[in-house]
Structure formats: C-alpha cells, structure tokens
Amino acid sequence: MRKNRDKESEDGISFDYIYEQYRHSMFGIAYAILHDSHAAEDITSECLFKISETIDRIKYLPEREIQDYIATIVKNRSIDLYRKRQKHPEYSIDDQWNVEDHSQSEDTMISQVGYQQLVEAIDRLPETHRNILKLRYLYDLSFEELSQLLEIGHSAVQQRIRRAKQQLEKLLEKERYFDGK
C-alpha cells in the first residue's frame, strides 16, 4: 500500500516524496557498504542530486521500479567509492600534505593533530583555503584536476595549497592543538 505519493495523479511521483520516503534507506545501503556515516551521507546527497536531475524520466515509473533504480544508483556509487578506497587505502590528511618540494614543517606540526580536529579546523578556514584543501585531500583531486577545475595554473594550485596549509597551521597554533615549535 502506498503512502500519499504527494501526487498519485497524472503529475507522477514528486522529488519531495522520494526524499522523504527513501533517504533513510539510501543512507542504510551506503552505510552497509562503506561502514562510514560521513561517506554514506555524501553518497546519499550525491544520489539525491542525481535523482533530482532525472526525476522527469522516472516519476511515472511504478514505485517498485523507482525503488530498484534508487537502490541501484546508491549501491553502485557506494561500491565505486569502496573500490577507490581499496585502491588508495584510507589515509589521514596529514599523511598526504606534501606539496612536491616544499618544506615539511607544517606537515610535521599538522601530523600532531587528530583527524577529526583537523577536519574541524579546515571547516573554519576562509572559503578559498577550505575548498582547495578539501578538493585536494578529501576528494583526492590531482594538481592537474584542480588546475582545470579552478582554471588556474599548476603553480597557482601549489601556491594556494601552501597558503591554505600555512593558514591551517596558524589556526591550529591559535587553538593550541600544538605548540608550533
């Protein structure tokens, strides 16, 4: 028996209905594969965005087919991320800090900070610094990909990363996560 599909007429199923009806099961599928609540939330959001882009094509399908479609895209995206993590095992951001031939002083200090504190500190950085660090270290984009995405040169990408790391170091020192020596 269907709950109010927020339509049930010729308008087809609504995105709001899909969101309310399936978001928890989408998260559950992703979490069952990844065993990581943050990654499962990200996958759920990505898949909801994809569904919002394809809603006109699926809204008239029978609900069982919509369920199967949703489960398939969540499962496939979760497996893709799982395989990526297997290929490139989990890493701490502080293990990935080196920007080619630059000083390791920030790296040494940053490695004294726990992963969660590091992510929280990154979230408090100005948007440009926050974004470049997340794109590089959390989303694992290469310098070339960053250069194309941001439409700047390779050296400009390196410079932004270096500045963002320096800003992060200052923030961590200020918050006394380490003594800066």
Side-chain angles (χ1 to χ4, degrees):
M1 181 172 145
R2 293 180 179 170
K3 294 180 180 177
N4 177 6
R5 287 180 75 165
D6 206 9
K7 64 97 211 124
E8 199 53 50
S9 66
E10 65 277 349
D11 293 339
I13 197 168
S14 72
F15 177 77
D16 291 337
Y17 173 80
I18 289 174
Y19 175 81
E20 289 300 322
Q21 189 68 21
Y22 297 108
R23 67 186 161 121
H24 296 294
S25 60
M26 292 169 73
F27 176 86
I29 293 167
Y31 186 81
I33 294 168
L34 298 167
H35 305 289
D36 178 339
S37 61
H38 296 291
E41 288 173 8
D42 290 344
I43 294 295
T44 301
S45 295
E46 286 177 29
C47 293
L48 283 165
F49 180 75
K50 181 175 180 166
I51 291 166
S52 74
E53 292 179 321
T54 61
I55 191 72
D56 290 335
R57 289 184 290 188
I58 67 169
K59 68 182 178 181
Y60 296 110
L61 294 175
E63 190 161 357
R64 182 68 189 153
E65 288 181 34
I66 293 172
Q67 285 177 323
D68 292 344
Y69 172 75
I70 291 169
T72 300
I73 64 171
V74 173
K75 179 185 75 152
N76 289 343
R77 182 61 191 105
S78 298
I79 289 171
D80 288 347
L81 181 58
Y82 177 82
R83 286 180 180 153
K84 181 179 178 184
R85 287 181 169 181
Q86 293 298 335
K87 191 175 185 181
H88 305 285
E90 275 297 309
Y91 60 89
S92 174
I93 291 176
D94 38 273
D95 293 336
Q96 295 283 324
W97 279 121
N98 60 0
V99 177
E100 294 179 1
D101 62 336
H102 304 290
S103 166
Q104 298 277 330
S105 65
E106 300 104 16
D107 303 343
T108 302
M109 289 183 230
I110 290 171
S111 68
Q112 297 173 18
V113 179
Y115 180 82
Q116 187 62 36
Q117 291 86 11
L118 192 58
V119 171
E120 290 171 2
I122 288 171
D123 284 338
R124 287 191 297 277
L125 290 173
E127 185 177 6
T128 55
H129 292 148
R130 179 177 60 240
N131 290 343
I132 193 84
L133 290 177
K134 283 186 173 186
L135 289 169
R136 175 70 177 120
Y137 299 108
L138 295 179
Y139 298 111
D140 201 26
L141 294 183
S142 69
F143 289 109
E144 183 62 34
E145 291 169 323
L146 286 168
S147 180
Q148 290 174 358
L149 178 68
L150 300 173
E151 298 177 347
I152 59 175
H154 189 272
S155 61
V157 168
Q158 289 180 324
Q159 183 64 25
R160 284 189 186 183
I161 290 172
R162 190 175 319 108
R163 287 180 182 154
K165 286 172 48 181
Q166 290 169 346
Q167 187 74 30
L168 179 61
E169 178 185 357
K170 288 177 186 175
L171 177 65
L172 292 171
E173 282 178 6
K174 179 181 172 188
E175 295 180 2
R176 303 188 189 283
Y177 282 112
F178 57 79
D179 59 16
K181 294 180 183 172

